[in-house]
Amino acid sequence: MFNPTVEPIVIQPRDLARPDLSFEAILDRFPGLAEAKAVCMTGSTAAGWGNTFSDIDIYAFSDEELDLPVDETMETWPGSDPSGVRWITWMGAYGDARVDLKVWPTNTLATALASYLEKEVEFCTTGDFLQDFIYRLSIGVPLKNEAFFKEMRELLDSSSYSRALARYQKSYVENCLTDVAGQLESGDYMTARVSAELAASFTADAALILSGDLCRRKKWILRRLENTPQCGIGVDEYRTMVLDGLRPGETDRECALRVARWTQSHIVRLEDAFLSTS
């Protein structure tokens, strides 16, 4: 009989202490990062949304192999993307925290944005992994070579990437609203409500992207709206109109119509920005 067992390699402490995130302290754990061209902290910790269980996300940029620690807490593997981008991931412990360290070639952003730098691209075709890379680089807190990250943000700002990504989200909104119309017509009110809520979430994403927030993670939607009031959708508005669900006495059909109409009003408001080419 198959009788699997699990044996922990490293026991996680009951009470977690956040490690020192200064570059000097990080170098004590990762001395090889001294040879990187640039290093930043990113992810939820950099955004100010992390907690004691959050990974510490670090991006290093180097065209040479970096010497990283080898011990019982770690694992490492190479990664690649159809665009030709390759990277190394190192995951392991840093004090009581887990670290997700990725080492990228120095030209990674230029490679990822190549088509968006050459022309105004209508719809984003970049895969989810590189979309996440671009977002994380855009919020990175420099630990080494601040000028490098300034150049990367200028490169991103000079591209059509954000506008193409927003238009891509708008296409999802339109598809979802078409679904709502068909589902209401057929009497599938429960599904129409789900489709309307999806349309609303894509609209919020598009508004946030057009205002400079490239996160795309649904779990952070309220944090993102709170941090980006210029997108035109407030936290209380989104919670009331979308997240709170059925109002007293409201049917699924009525809820779907209400959320769909709210979504349409914001899509119309953003139309000029979707059409913009600069």
Side-chain angles (χ1 to χ4, degrees):
M1 178 183 294
F2 181 60
N3 191 19
T5 60
V6 176
E7 181 178 350
I9 298 174
V10 178
I11 302 296
Q12 183 150 333
R14 181 180 297 275
D15 298 313
L16 303 180
R18 298 297 279 172
D20 186 342
L21 296 178
S22 67
F23 191 47
E24 293 75 14
I26 289 171
L27 283 178
D28 287 340
R29 175 69 169 117
F30 304 98
L33 293 183
E35 303 304 317
K37 180 174 182 179
V39 182
C40 73
M41 183 173 63
T42 186
S44 59
T45 300
W49 303 334
N51 55 63
T52 54
F53 293 100
S54 297
D55 288 349
I56 305 299
D57 294 288
I58 297 175
Y59 276 5
F61 293 84
S62 176
D63 294 325
E64 306 297 331
E65 184 175 350
L66 299 181
D67 186 18
L68 299 175
V70 176
D71 58 39
E72 72 278 7
T73 74
M74 55 75 65
E75 55 182 328
T76 186
W77 63 92
S80 62
D81 183 84
S83 66
V85 172
R86 295 179 179 275
W87 64 91
I88 297 293
T89 296
W90 184 100
M91 294 190 73
Y94 174 39
D96 290 343
R98 294 290 296 174
V99 168
D100 183 345
L101 166 62
K102 287 184 169 56
V103 182
W104 305 91
T106 57
N107 68 344
T108 299
L109 186 62
T111 300
L113 295 179
S115 61
Y116 306 97
L117 294 166
E118 295 168 359
K119 60 183 178 180
E120 182 70 27
V121 176
E122 184 174 7
F123 294 116
C124 177
T125 58
T126 302
D128 288 344
F129 193 88
L130 281 187
Q131 284 187 34
D132 191 59
F133 163 79
I134 293 169
Y135 158 65
R136 288 171 181 266
L137 183 57
S138 75
I139 65 161
V141 176
L143 298 172
K144 178 183 180 181
N145 196 351
E146 186 171 352
F148 175 87
F149 296 102
K150 183 175 184 292
E151 291 175 5
M152 294 302 99
R153 291 185 183 112
E154 289 172 350
L155 188 68
L156 177 57
D157 290 343
S158 69
S159 75
S160 63
Y161 172 77
S162 296
R163 296 185 295 277
L165 184 58
R167 293 186 199 111
Y168 185 68
Q169 293 301 101
K170 179 176 180 283
S171 71
Y172 273 107
V173 176
E174 292 166 343
N175 288 340
C176 288
L177 290 176
T178 300
D179 285 341
V180 172
Q183 289 151 1
L184 289 174
E185 178 68 22
S186 69
D188 189 357
Y189 302 140
M190 289 191 300
T191 306
R193 180 181 160 194
V194 172
S195 295
E197 290 170 354
L198 285 171
S201 72
F202 288 128
T203 297
D205 259 350
L208 286 161
I209 291 164
L210 289 170
S211 297
D213 180 300
L214 304 179
C215 180
R216 302 290 316 284
R217 295 293 182 92
K218 301 301 183 187
K219 67 179 179 180
W220 297 122
I221 185 64
L222 295 183
R223 289 285 197 180
R224 294 162 59 202
L225 292 172
E226 181 181 54
N227 280 11
T228 320
Q230 66 271 26
C231 80
I233 300 174
V235 171
D236 289 342
E237 177 187 359
Y238 190 81
R239 183 187 286 119
T240 300
M241 295 300 299
V242 183
L243 295 185
D244 284 352
L246 291 173
R247 294 174 175 175
E250 190 175 48
T251 66
D252 283 332
R253 178 182 181 278
E254 291 165 341
C255 181
L257 278 170
R258 172 173 55 80
V259 175
R261 287 166 179 161
W262 177 87
T263 299
Q264 288 174 319
S265 70
H266 279 289
I267 285 294
V268 170
R269 176 179 64 82
L270 295 167
E271 196 63 39
D272 286 347
F274 288 126
L275 296 174
S276 173
T277 59
S278 61

